[in-house]
Amino acid sequence: MVKPWYKQFWPWFLIAIPVLVMVVCAIIIYLSVTQGNFSMVVDDYYKRGKTINAEIADVKKAQELGINFQFKANDGKLALRYKSGAPEQLSALNVKFVHAADEAKDFSRRLTVGADGIYRADIPTNIKGKWTVTVKPFDNRWKVSQKYWLPTTEWTLIEPLLYGV
């Protein structure tokens, strides 16, 4: 005697495949709705493009002026000095540290020059990792920015490079 269809293995196996696919799709949809709060589409792409062009112009201005810096960053202390391109009147500098992986660690400092020509500031003591260091003058006319592994105990060169602007 032949068993009824609902007591056979193969009909249940064939039904289980699409049901399993629907469950996996439901989980993926749930995760994308609850966890996917980022957008890859930029609404103000024109404004963003103009901002990028302005940043490139700031780096090119620093290149034209021949501005280079050297810095040390360790033990909660930052020391920064002009290597070349220093203006006659040394004004305040804005230095921004952007961590490569953790936005909560980002910080910035406004530095004034000491009598010896070195800009100094206190910084967090635990700055281990990859950072982007950006130096701008008080009036934001130019920009010098590079990526570094910190801390650094030796004088390290910062040049105005266009990559990673």
Side-chain angles (χ1 to χ4, degrees), residues 14-163:
L14 294 174
I15 291 171
I17 291 173
V19 169
L20 181 64
V21 169
M22 290 187 325
V23 169
V24 169
C25 285
I27 291 170
I28 290 172
I29 290 170
Y30 169 77
L31 290 174
S32 67
V33 168
T34 59
Q35 305 297 320
N37 58 359
F38 60 90
S39 175
M40 294 181 67
V41 177
V42 178
D43 291 334
D44 56 348
Y45 62 90
Y46 179 73
K47 189 186 301 184
R48 177 79 176 121
K50 285 176 60 176
T51 304
I52 291 170
N53 288 341
E55 289 178 10
I56 289 172
D58 291 346
V59 173
K60 285 185 177 181
K61 180 70 172 173
Q63 288 175 339
E64 289 170 10
L65 296 172
I67 296 173
N68 290 316
F69 288 97
Q70 291 178 319
F71 80 101
K72 291 185 203 180
N74 65 331
D75 296 331
K77 302 287 183 197
L78 169 67
L80 178 80
R81 67 183 180 195
Y82 279 95
K83 182 174 185 216
S84 64
E88 290 181 22
Q89 293 286 343
L90 296 178
S91 64
L93 297 175
N94 295 319
V95 181
K96 185 174 184 181
F97 287 78
V98 177
H99 193 270
D102 189 1
E103 183 180 0
K105 292 183 178 181
D106 296 355
F107 65 94
S108 60
R109 298 289 185 267
R110 178 164 293 151
L111 308 176
T112 55
V113 68
D116 57 356
I118 296 177
Y119 295 83
R120 290 185 176 81
D122 292 330
I123 58 174
T125 55
N126 185 12
I127 58 167
K128 197 170 203 175
K130 187 175 183 181
W131 295 82
T132 300
V133 180
T134 304
V135 181
K136 290 183 175 184
F138 188 67
D139 59 2
N140 291 326
R141 291 186 311 128
W142 48 261
K143 171 183 165 182
V144 178
S145 182
Q146 266 187 280
K147 293 176 178 20
Y148 295 98
W149 285 94
L150 299 178
T152 176
T153 56
E154 300 295 322
W155 287 105
T156 306
L157 183 65
I158 305 177
E159 298 176 296
L161 302 176
L162 284 175
Y163 73 87

